[in-house]
Each structure stands twice: as structure tokens, then as C-alpha cells.
Amino acid sequence: LHVHAPWPWSRVVVVATERVQEMSLGFERDLAGPVLWAEKHFEGEQNLLVGQGEELLTINVPVHYRVRDAVAFLRHSGDPRAALEALGYRELLALTTSYSAFGFMTTDRAAITARLRTGLQAAIDRLQRGLEIVYVGLKDVHPPVPVAPAYQDVVSAEEQRLALGD
């Protein structure tokens, strides 16, 4: 005797809609080490061109998300993490042309994260992925490690020039 439930109850998939998950743009694994420009922070750091393509920065962005609509999530997401990562990079790269390296590192961080979050959520909604972006942040933005000492020298010289009133 073989008994099973009729469709659609023959298979039950439980989707954790309250659990917040995290993925990262710009790095693979946090090394939890020192926070100095001249030392590697993350495994697999990626550099992005910023501004008019003249400046290179390492930008690390954590993205927290959760499943908002389980049916849409299951219907349209073969590999939701890969899809979210691709959409996140697309939105981040679009923003790198709008802001300077100085803006990414200092004054425009709040505006950048807000635009990145809304753009990413709009892309997810357009594709009906069933996800909700909970948090997007700029965890670390710095010049690439090999050029960081020279960059720091330039910043120090600029600070000294401003302190002397010239």
C-alpha cells in the first residue's frame, strides 16, 4: 500500500521569511583584522573604478535581506543569492560613475547607501524575486592596498596644507 498526499500538498517547502540573511559585494570573506588602508581587510577584495573612471577604490558592501513573498521567491529564484549578487553589483557599478572617490570615502556615504538600497529593491521588485532588502551599508571604502601608503601621504599633505592656512 502506497499512500501520499495529492497535489499541491505532495511536497512541502518551508521558507524562512523572518530570517535575515547576509551577502557581500566587493569581498568574499571578512578577515576581521586591522582596519588600516595599507593592510588587507578581506579575502577576495575587488577594486572598482569610481567617478569618471580615473580613481580606483576597494568598496565592501554588506547587504542584508529576507524573503518577503515565499511564493514569488520559490517561483522565480533558481539561485536567489547569485541573482541578488548580480543585481547588487549592477546597481553598485551604476553608482560608481555618479560619485567621486572622495564622496565614496567621506561625504556621500549616506546618499550612496540610500540610492543603492532603493535601486536594488526596485530591481528585485521588477523581477518579482520575493525578497526585501533590510540593510545596505558601505562597510569599508579605501584605496587598493598596494597604493594606500602613497594615498595616505597625499591626504596627510592636504591636511597639513589646510592646517597651515595655505
Side-chain angles (χ1 to χ4, degrees), residues 87-100:
L87 290 171
Y89 275 114
R90 187 181 74 188
E91 294 299 320
L92 180 59
L93 290 173
L95 288 173
T96 59
T97 61
S98 303
Y99 294 93
S100 67

Side-chain angles (χ1 to χ4, degrees), residues 33-52:
V35 185
L36 302 172
W37 282 1
E39 297 182 27
K40 188 175 174 182
H41 301 76
F42 306 98
E43 189 69 40
E45 284 185 325
Q46 299 175 7
N47 299 319
L48 299 172
L49 287 172
V50 180
Q52 301 303 311

